Amino acid sequence: MASNAPVAPTWFDTYLRSLLDWQAACSASVLQAQQYQWGMLAACQQSAKAVQQELWDEWTCRFGGGVPLDG
């Protein structure tokens, strides 16, 4: 009796599995790189925030009549 179910060769299964593994590895590395980029952007924004706050405090002390709390 002949079976009507298609039989894929084992080399094709192996090739397909390796191709999917390669695609998953590339996707994971791209996602990790993007997460590092977001982390660097957040760190850059934190430093810009600190600089802006310092400039605002200096302007307030000089022109706004404020008194520095730590001086």
Side-chain angles (χ1 to χ4, degrees):
M1 293 186 74
S3 174
N4 290 339
V7 177
T10 58
W11 66 269
F12 184 74
D13 292 340
T14 305
Y15 174 75
L16 187 60
R17 173 57 62 191
S18 66
L19 185 63
L20 292 175
D21 289 343
W22 179 81
Q23 184 180 14
C26 287
S27 299
S29 65
V30 167
L31 181 63
Q32 186 178 18
Q34 190 175 30
Q35 289 173 343
Y36 286 145
Q37 288 175 343
W38 280 112
M40 289 186 292
L41 179 63
C44 183
Q45 287 179 341
Q46 287 296 325
S47 64
K49 176 185 171 186
V51 169
Q52 190 269 340
Q53 184 65 45
E54 178 64 26
L55 291 174
W56 178 252
D57 290 344
E58 289 179 10
W59 185 91
T60 302
C61 291
R62 174 73 170 102
F63 299 108
V67 177
L69 297 176
D70 55 351

